[in-house]
Structures are given as structure tokens and as C-alpha cells.
Amino acid sequence: MQESPFLRACRRLPVSRTPVWFMRQAGRSLPEYRKVRADVPMLEACARPDMIVEITMQPVRRYDVDAAIYFSDIVVPLKAIGLDLDIKTGIGPVIADPIRNADAVKRLRELEPDDVPYVTEAVGRLVEELDGRPLIGFAGGPFTLASYLIEGGPSKNHEHTKALMYGAPELWGDLMRRLSRITLEFLKVQIEAGASAVQLFDSWVGALSAEDYRASVLPHTSWIFEQLGGLDVPRIHFGVGTGELLGLLSEAGADVVGVDWRVPLDKAAQRVQPGTALQGNLDPAMLFAPWEAVAERARDVLDRGRAAEGHIFNLGHGVLPNTDPEMLARLTHFVHEQTEQ
Ligand code: 1CP
């Protein structure tokens, strides 16, 4: 079988068409998702192979996307090691006792494959059902996970996180090392079960200056990517508001850097290291404009994406909850049609 355009673009090989998938393509914006989730709390859904398989497949049935993304959440491995946390509708992850001192950090134990048997089972079933279409595994990046743990929930300014990072560098290092090991193990479980690429969502690192990112986050993320290096699975690295960090996100060891909508892809291509493919970067809010405007912008993304060594079409961040699924269907078709060789 011909290798998929998605995996080929990750590896910077010529493609028969520009591959496309959407961050957060599963869930939220789909009526069929809301239906199956109606009586099932989010974290329960993430621990049930039947739900995981169904929700992961929903967007694949609807759109001709070139990859599926495993249905889960970045806090699932933290729940699996016993942290008291929940995902609240309309809010996001909420941690009962925020982690702000050495005792709390020490309680973060390693993740074992046996903590997440449902991941192994669901990935295996998905690989079979996807029949050659790649499955992307994912995990949260260490800064983003640390932010939820330290703040206790979603945060705009990450003030407690930065207080710990600047004020207690050793404790910060310990926390980052523990989270990196958990993230690595969570990704390895997905890869060993058959995921053919992984994405590290360090969504909130854009809150840091380049200097602080280099000193306090990069060493940990580099370690994760290095550990994954021998597994022959493309590694995608994504964050929001990372215009100033794009070079460092690739330096961390990613094969593909995900770019939000703020930096045009031709500029982003100059900022990443040679040997890096790009993923992105249509503004997700753009999908609320009339189709003609969307098409024009999508064409611009494709044109600028040609400056990259490989391009995977995506949005600049996740699909917004009220997005019309019809727009995503049209957009997927448009990207394929414009780029078919
Ligand atoms: O396609 C998909 O939706 C796949 C599944 C997926 C992914 C990739 C979910 C399901 N979550 C994630 C990753 C995730 N979770 C990220 C990284 C991606 C991003 O930047 O958007 C982050 C930051 C989270 C944390 C999180 N979980 C939030 C954001 C809160 C904040 O700080 O603003 C929210 C709202 C959740 C809950 C969640 N995760 C996923 C779903 C479908 C939901 C909504 C839960 C519900 O339906 O009640």
C-alpha cells in the first residue's frame, strides 16, 4: 500500500495531495458527538474503548481527512496515576488540590502501561478500523500540563506557574521531569498499540519568552522527543502564540512544527530548523465567515505552505465548538482538489 500523504508530508516526501486533518476534529462541534456523550462524563468517555473508537471515527466518517486523532484529553494520564481531577463542561480540566510544593510534586508517580489498558485496546481497534489511514496519538506538553496542575484549572496569565518556575527552579525541574516521563510513557503506549504519528500539545508555551522557554521547558521537551527518536514515528510539536518560539519548537527535536494563524507559513518556514515540516494554519474563527472568504484564505495558506519542506493543512488551533461541520467538509474537499497531482 502507498504510504499515506499525511505520513509522507511529515517526512518531507512528495505527496499526491496536501494532507489535511483538524485539531479537535472529534467532539464538540459534531451533533453525533454530543449525542453519544449526552449521559457520559468526559473522563469516563476517555476510559471506555467503545466510546473512544466511536468518537475518534466520527470525523473520519464525515470528512475525508487524511488522519484520525485519538480521542482523549491531555489530563487523562494524570487522572490515570491517581490525581483528583475532573473535566468540567464549559470549563476544562479542574484539579482538586493544585500542586504548589515539594510534597505535592513528589506524589506524581510514573505512569505504567497497566494504568491505561483502555488506551492500548482502543488504539488497537482503531488501527484495524482505520484500514491504513494513520492514527495520531497525542499528549500534553510539560509546560501546559504543569500549568493546569499548578493553577488548578484553565488560566489566562499562568501566574502561579510562573511564580514556581522563576521562584523555585529546582522544584520546577523536578515537576517537569516527572511530567515528561508521564507524557513519554503515554505516547509510547499509543505508539506500541499502533499509532503512526504523535503530537505533543504544549498549547500554552506561547506565554513564555524565548529565553525562558529555552531555559525552563526546552530541555524537557527535547528529552521526550529524543526518547521517541528511535521509534520511526513522526513527532509533531504544537503550541499557540509561538511566533517567537518556532525555531525552538523545532530545535526541541520535532519532525513537524504546528503553527497557529498568527505567522504566515512562508515566514514560519524561515524560522524553523532545516529538515522540519509545517502544519497549519487557517484561523479557526475564519470558518464563521462566508465560504468564498474561507476559500481565499485556504488558498493563501496552501500557497505559503509551499515554502515549507512538507505541509500538512490544519487550522491554527482547535475546531471551535460552534463551527458548522459542513464548512470543514467543504474545506477538506477544497484542499484536496486544489493540490491533487
Ligand atoms: O479532536 C479532538 O477533540 C480530540 C480530543 C482532544 C484533544 C486533542 C480533547 C478532547 N482534548 C484535546 C487536547 C487538549 N485538552 C488540549 C490541547 C489542544 C488545545 O490546545 O486545544 C488542551 C489545552 C486541553 C485541555 C482542555 N480539555 C480544555 C481547554 C481548557 C482551557 O484551558 O481553555 C478543555 C475545554 C478540555 C475538555 C475537553 N477535551 C476534549 C473535549 C471534547 C473536551 C470538552 C469536554 C466536554 O465535551 O465536556
Side-chain angles (χ1 to χ4, degrees):
M1 188 170 51
Q2 252 251 285
E3 196 182 31
S4 80
F6 167 74
L7 292 174
R8 289 184 63 85
C10 289
R11 300 195 161 104
R12 297 170 287 113
L13 297 168
V15 287
S16 52
R17 63 189 197 187
T18 298
V20 44
W21 71 280
F22 303 109
M23 292 185 281
R24 314 293 298 269
Q25 66 191 12
R28 307 206 292 183
S29 63
L30 296 180
E32 59 269 36
Y33 168 78
R34 290 195 285 269
K35 197 166 157 215
V36 298
R37 271 285 324 283
D39 307 315
V40 187
M42 177 64 187
L43 283 172
E44 187 188 324
C46 292
R48 278 177 46 182
D50 60 331
M51 296 283 291
I52 299 168
V53 172
E54 168 59 21
I55 297 170
T56 302
M57 291 305 296
Q58 284 177 347
V60 178
R61 290 188 202 116
R62 222 181 225 272
Y63 317 122
D64 187 18
V65 280
D66 292 274
I69 176 145
Y70 179 76
F71 180 76
S72 187
D73 191 80
I74 58 169
V75 296
V76 164
L78 302 176
K79 177 80 181 172
I81 60 160
L83 281 188
D84 187 358
L85 65 85
D86 197 6
I87 293 183
K88 296 227 159 88
T89 307
I91 300 175
V94 177
I95 284 79
D97 295 310
I99 289 184
R100 293 183 191 163
N101 58 44
D103 281 347
V105 170
K106 283 200 177 60
R107 282 198 294 272
L108 285 174
R109 69 159 173 88
E110 303 217 352
L111 179 78
E112 310 282 345
D114 284 350
D115 293 320
V116 287
Y118 44 85
V119 176
T120 303
E121 185 181 337
V123 170
R125 278 159 63 174
L126 278 165
V127 170
E128 215 162 284
E129 198 153 326
L130 283 162
D131 195 25
R133 207 183 294 240
L135 177 69
I136 304 170
F138 76 91
F143 178 83
T144 299
L145 292 178
S147 170
Y148 285 109
L149 290 182
I150 299 169
E151 305 294 336
S155 166
K156 193 158 166 255
N157 298 315
H158 311 279
E159 54 264 55
H160 297 290
T161 311
K162 289 185 177 180
L164 199 146
M165 191 181 100
Y166 295 122
E170 279 190 19
L171 185 57
W172 174 259
D174 187 11
L175 174 61
M176 295 299 270
R177 276 187 292 278
R178 285 169 192 265
L179 291 174
S180 298
R181 296 184 89 87
I182 293 167
T183 282
L184 173 66
E185 190 55 42
F186 193 57
L187 293 173
K188 275 170 114 177
V189 167
Q190 296 171 71
I191 293 168
E192 273 155 29
S196 42
V198 287
Q199 176 154 324
L200 192 71
F201 281 98
D202 216 350
S203 299
W204 311 138
V205 285
L208 297 178
S209 69
E211 204 178 315
D212 289 338
Y213 179 81
R214 183 187 280 288
S216 304
V217 181
L218 179 76
H220 306 285
T221 310
S222 295
W223 178 82
I224 296 170
F225 283 136
E226 203 180 289
Q227 298 297 310
L228 295 171
L231 301 177
D232 197 30
V233 162
R235 299 155 294 182
I236 310 171
H237 194 184
F238 171 77
V240 184
T242 53
E244 296 297 325
L245 303 179
L246 290 172
L248 293 171
L249 294 192
S250 63
E251 197 180 313
D255 303 291
V256 183
V257 168
V259 185
D260 82 4
W261 64 92
R262 294 173 178 89
V263 181
L265 290 180
D266 49 341
K267 282 221 176 93
Q270 294 166 357
R271 295 184 190 177
V272 295
Q273 309 248 311
T276 309
L278 295 182
Q279 177 173 279
N281 73 343
L282 190 76
D283 184 346
M286 186 77 219
L287 297 176
F288 293 78
W291 168 251
E292 289 66 33
V294 176
E296 192 185 317
R297 283 302 180 98
R299 200 177 286 116
D300 185 58
V301 168
L302 289 170
D303 285 345
R304 292 176 189 274
R306 286 187 237 286
E309 292 185 40
H311 178 213
I312 298 136
F313 189 96
N314 206 315
L315 304 178
H317 197 188
V319 173
L320 294 166
N322 294 323
T323 305
D324 177 0
E326 205 35 54
M327 269 296 188
L328 290 173
R330 254 177 122 167
L331 181 57
T332 310
H333 179 73
F334 181 79
V335 171
H336 286 157
E337 181 195 68
Q338 292 288 310
T339 59
E340 216 105 48
Q341 301 276 335

